[in-house]
Amino acid sequence: MDHNGDNPGALDALLTEERVFRPLSRVVSNATVAAEDLARITESAKADPLAYWEEAAEELCWFRKWEQVLDDSNPPFYKWFTGAKCNIVYNALDRHIETANKNKLAVIWEGEPGDTRKLTYYELFREVNKLANGLRSLGIGKGDRVVVYMPPLPETIITLLAVAKIGAVHSSVFAGFSAKALRDRISDASAKLVVTVDGFYRNGRAVNLKSTVDEALVAEPTGCVESVIVVHRANVEAEMNDSRDIWYADLVRRESPEAVTEVMDSEDMLFLLYTSGATGKPKGVVHSHGGYMVGVHRTLNWVFDLKPTDIFWCTADVGWITGHSYVVYGPLLAGTTTVLYEGHPLYPQADRLWSIVDRYGVNILYSVPTLIRMLMRFGTQYLKHHDLSTLRLLGSVGEPINPEAWVWFHKHVGRTECPLMDTWWQTETGMFMISPMPVSLLKPGSVNKALPGIEVDVWDEQGNPVPPGKGGLLVVTKPWPSMVRTLYNDPERYKETYWSKFPGVYLAGDVARKDEDGYIWIQGRADDVLVIAGHRIGTAEVESAFVSHKAVAEAAVIGIPDKIRGEVAKAFVILNDGFDPDAGLSRELTEHVRRELGPVAVVKSIEYRETLPRTRSGKIMRRILKAEEFGEEKGDTSTLEDLDR
Ligand code: WT7
């Protein structure tokens, strides 16, 4: 093994996964993009990415065509489809009303208590128009910011679309975030309007949300919010301030089901979404109408191979980017049926997902590793009672999926017949960037290769590509249509965060390696790397080694100082049922990790926990564990999941 000194900045790849899965011929022969076409398209997109994206843009409707596909005259402030006029809602909704999609289900929603609502494209169109008119009556128009603080409800989708339809800008805040997190985001965006609910159901309880909005607004320093719209959902006490608050039902009651769709410039802002860095205040990631719709439409159609009769279920909350791109906009742009579930995935018991797949005949299931691992803990008992035979494709996103969870998901949920699309992307990228396609050869734990039209690489600190097997910094070397345009109110921070290390090249902030076949393996966030005796090791690898032991359900690893080695690993572990934390088990686990990864993976101590601190989107917050370990300030905790919920 090379010492770090020979290859500064490189990351040691300790875990090697040899398994390879070939797609079944049935999947291959029905794929929208055949294997031989994929190779050809990837090649020609490499030679001329703008032609590739222009062709993708032609699949959507524009009020006026672009003069230029990409304006790169002022990097890193790239502009796409300049001169064009469009509105993403025209493509996601209005145009379907003229086609056979009109009477097709757009949304299947299920509340946690078991209540359901189904909306056809036509019904959704009418609801969106009524709210669009209601928003206009409140004085909301082009460019105004609207904060959406809602659980997954049909009204949440309606709100995003109505806001975008009138050319206003939505900024979603997870319903699990605190009053302070909400207040900071409202102030930063100077939002004129907040849309929320009285409350919602989570884990068998009605959670009051309106009171959190009231708390946020009492001390809001800018006084920007003029109105609050409240959806009636959970029959909980909501105090209405008559000069500011209005019930959603009262607002839309007398509105017409027809509304004009605002004509937007391709580059006009569509939404803001705050994402938290390890330090500093959350970053307001800006996305715009034209490029975002092109990127999301193409990637969803291709990666998940959408067919006209498909029922698509992405389990993400609408309030984060996966929800924006692949619960709301992507499926509707594609004219498919999207499933939305309000509540906790284990409520009332651990078969809720399987029951939803069974009852609606879900064809594509897209989820996150942390949920897959959580469900794995229950074994296959809950799967047996449900018919999952409608499933054709599976997906994963959000963090590296450890091969054990990959194989379990593929085998027990996907009957070893459903290809698993491990999609790498970010709030900032807006769309899938690195992912297999249904025809790809799959290696569990690898995100495969960059999609057509996307150029990524793995570089060392000096900006040289690292050799196969060595880790380095993941970069995107060419602009892409759905890229972040800037950070709201902070263009300098945008340049500094993503574009300053290698000028003209996007720094993703992840460490990764490529193998001999050019497959990419994400090893975690660059901030989370351990340096043990000079070897740089991704936390994800050590965690994956832990989870491959039968006793371990979840693991989070941080580095702690060590006199001899500089740093060693400390692990926080959640055990599976039936295993007891004792010194014997700790020895066994330490030995197991050493066997899996080699002697460099020194685990100094293991702490057993019932839960781990995570973001609402399911990512483990290692910096919180570090802060606890070292008795330091926890920094920005606004994205931390409220465990009571
Ligand atoms: C970070 C972005 C875009 C939706 C996810 C949340 C990690 C994302 C994968 C994957 C390994 C992944 C990366 C990335 N990540 N997908 N398939 N394999 N890691 O978006 O909150 O902006 O987080 O999530 O570290 O940088 P986000």
Side-chain angles (χ1 to χ4, degrees):
M1 195 179 290
D2 279 342
H3 188 270
N4 191 41
D6 302 335
N7 191 355
L11 202 93
D12 291 304
L14 304 173
L15 206 61
T16 43
E17 172 58 50
E18 305 288 345
R19 285 171 283 194
V20 172
F21 291 78
R22 263 168 221 290
L24 303 182
S25 57
R26 175 156 38 89
V27 175
V28 173
S29 60
N30 286 325
T32 308
V33 183
E36 58 277 15
D37 294 336
L38 180 59
R40 183 182 45 77
I41 293 166
T42 309
E43 270 317 298
S44 68
K46 208 184 194 76
D48 190 351
L50 298 188
Y52 172 83
W53 289 117
E54 181 158 38
E55 181 269 321
E58 308 274 3
E59 290 181 356
L60 293 159
C61 299
W62 301 77
F63 303 132
R64 192 171 87 200
K65 279 282 163 70
W66 47 91
E67 283 146 23
Q68 225 183 337
V69 177
L70 171 66
D71 173 356
D72 57 0
S73 58
N74 181 27
F77 300 95
Y78 297 96
K79 293 183 175 149
W80 284 83
F81 307 108
T82 50
K85 299 281 184 192
C86 62
N87 188 309
I88 193 170
V89 179
Y90 184 85
N91 283 287
L93 212 49
D94 304 6
R95 67 175 176 142
H96 296 309
I97 306 312
E98 310 298 325
T99 72
N101 284 341
K102 178 179 176 184
N103 301 317
K104 177 176 174 175
L105 286 185
V107 179
I108 298 177
W109 172 82
E110 185 163 298
E112 195 185 73
D115 46 342
T116 64
R117 266 176 78 192
K118 294 178 182 172
L119 292 164
T120 64
Y121 273 90
Y122 186 59
E123 288 166 331
L124 181 63
F125 173 73
R126 287 172 58 96
E127 294 304 320
V128 167
N129 289 342
K130 286 192 222 167
L131 181 60
N133 291 327
L135 296 175
R136 282 180 172 138
S137 77
L138 292 176
I140 305 297
K142 208 169 182 163
D144 288 335
R145 274 83 55 214
V146 175
V147 164
V148 180
Y149 186 55
M150 299 171 85
L153 296 180
E155 286 83 359
T156 314
I157 296 182
I158 294 166
T159 301
L160 298 192
L161 297 172
V163 168
K165 178 153 186 153
I166 65 168
V169 175
H170 53 77
S171 173
S172 291
V173 178
F174 292 124
F177 283 178
S178 66
K180 178 176 183 307
L182 176 63
R183 181 187 308 131
D184 291 347
R185 286 158 179 74
I186 289 171
S187 304
D188 193 73
S190 332
K192 252 170 117 170
L193 170 71
V194 176
V195 186
T196 190
V197 293
D198 55 348
F200 63 99
Y201 297 99
R202 183 89 186 165
N203 242 334
R205 286 197 300 139
V207 178
N208 193 317
L209 207 62
K210 173 63 167 59
S211 57
T212 312
V213 175
D214 294 337
E215 190 187 334
L217 290 181
V218 164
E220 200 286 316
T222 73
C224 52
V225 174
E226 293 168 10
S227 327
V228 177
I229 300 175
V230 187
V231 174
H232 184 81
R233 163 64 185 145
N235 260 329
V236 295
E237 182 74 27
E239 209 174 294
M240 297 295 275
N241 169 345
D242 287 344
S243 63
R244 188 194 68 193
D245 304 348
I246 179 164
W247 288 104
Y248 180 100
D250 293 337
L251 179 68
V252 300
R253 182 164 297 125
R254 274 186 276 287
E255 294 295 349
S256 151
E258 281 171 38
V260 177
T261 301
E262 199 72 35
V263 174
M264 306 299 286
D265 281 335
S266 172
E267 278 295 315
D268 277 340
M269 205 190 320
L270 167 63
F271 66 82
L272 261 175
L273 199 55
Y274 286 86
T275 175
S276 59
T279 53
K281 67 180 177 81
K283 302 177 279 209
V285 171
V286 172
H287 282 288
S288 55
H289 276 257
Y292 177 78
M293 75 179 179
V294 172
V296 168
H297 179 249
R298 167 51 58 90
T299 51
L300 180 64
N301 266 314
W302 281 20
V303 170
F304 284 116
D305 209 21
L306 292 183
K307 307 293 188 219
T309 57
D310 276 341
I311 308 273
F312 179 80
W313 187 19
C314 164
T315 65
D317 193 299
V318 176
W320 57 304
I321 190 68
T322 311
H324 282 48
S325 298
Y326 300 112
V327 174
V328 182
Y329 286 115
L332 299 179
L333 285 167
T336 199
T337 304
T338 188
V339 175
L340 192 65
Y341 169 58
E342 175 188 37
H344 196 282
L346 302 186
Y347 185 86
Q349 56 178 24
D351 70 343
R352 188 63 180 253
L353 253 68
W354 321 133
S355 153
I356 291 175
V357 169
D358 185 351
R359 281 180 288 115
Y360 302 114
V362 172
N363 304 103
I364 301 158
L365 177 64
Y366 183 37
S367 195
V368 292
T370 173
L371 179 54
I372 298 164
R373 284 194 296 269
M374 196 201 284
L375 293 165
M376 234 173 113
R377 291 173 73 179
F378 296 92
T380 55
Q381 50 176 331
Y382 286 107
L383 284 159
K384 288 193 196 117
H385 306 294
H386 297 284
D387 177 6
L388 306 184
S389 64
T390 51
L391 287 175
R392 191 179 78 245
L393 281 166
L394 301 174
S396 172
V397 63
E399 55 177 334
I401 181 164
N402 50 299
E404 297 313 311
W406 194 105
V407 169
W408 185 86
F409 197 36
H410 183 255
K411 179 173 175 189
H412 296 291
V413 181
R415 319 173 302 276
T416 68
E417 291 177 9
C418 305
L420 200 170
M421 305 295 105
D422 184 359
T423 61
W424 179 89
W425 57 298
Q426 308 176 300
T427 305
E428 293 88 340
T429 71
M431 67 178 199
F432 308 148
M433 301 290 280
I434 311 175
S435 170
M437 298 263 283
V439 296
S440 306
L441 211 93
L442 303 174
K443 301 188 190 185
S446 165
V447 291
N448 221 272
K449 298 181 184 185
L451 289 169
I454 300 298
E455 294 291 331
V456 302
D457 210 343
V458 181
W459 286 4
D460 66 17
E461 293 282 334
Q462 282 68 46
N464 307 306
V466 299
K470 278 287 168 194
L473 303 167
L474 183 65
V475 292
V476 186
T477 56
K478 289 226 169 76
W480 64 100
S482 65
M483 64 197 297
V484 47
R485 294 305 195 268
T486 188
L487 294 178
Y488 194 67
N489 283 336
D490 209 347
E492 280 308 313
R493 191 172 177 204
Y494 169 65
K495 281 205 254 184
E496 173 62 31
T497 307
Y498 307 106
W499 303 94
S500 64
K501 188 163 182 88
F502 308 117
V505 167
Y506 176 85
L507 182 75
D510 282 7
V511 287
R513 72 184 156 90
K514 270 187 186 176
D515 66 17
E516 296 286 347
D517 301 324
Y519 276 52
I520 293 167
W521 302 72
I522 307 292
Q523 293 172 284
R525 297 293 299 169
D527 318 335
D528 287 338
V529 166
L530 310 175
V531 186
I532 303 179
H535 296 280
R536 291 161 53 87
I537 302 172
T539 47
E541 280 196 303
V542 186
E543 289 160 5
S544 182
F546 267 102
V547 178
S548 69
H549 189 282
K550 62 181 184 307
V552 178
E554 286 273 16
V557 167
I558 63 168
I560 53 173
D562 180 84
K563 278 210 196 73
I564 299 162
R565 299 178 184 86
E567 201 168 49
V568 289
K570 167 160 185 181
F572 299 82
V573 167
I574 303 178
L575 290 177
N576 279 318
D577 288 344
F579 291 92
D580 292 322
D582 58 36
L585 181 62
S586 293
R587 260 198 311 280
E588 188 179 325
L589 291 178
T590 307
E591 222 3 80
H592 173 77
V593 171
R594 193 183 144 93
R595 242 190 339 265
E596 292 284 301
L597 300 180
V600 69
V602 182
V603 178
K604 181 78 163 247
S605 66
I606 299 176
E607 187 175 320
Y608 297 96
R609 293 264 180 121
E610 293 293 318
T611 59
L612 292 169
R614 348 175 142 266
T615 63
R616 261 291 260 146
S617 55
K619 286 194 218 304
I620 293 170
M621 291 180 91
R622 294 178 192 81
R623 68 184 167 81
I624 301 281
L625 293 169
K626 270 191 211 164
E628 282 172 6
E629 183 71 22
F630 303 121
E632 290 162 359
E633 273 297 305
K634 288 183 187 166
D636 175 26
T637 53
S638 64
T639 57
L640 194 63
E641 185 182 35
D642 177 348
L643 288 170
D644 293 341
R645 284 186 186 166

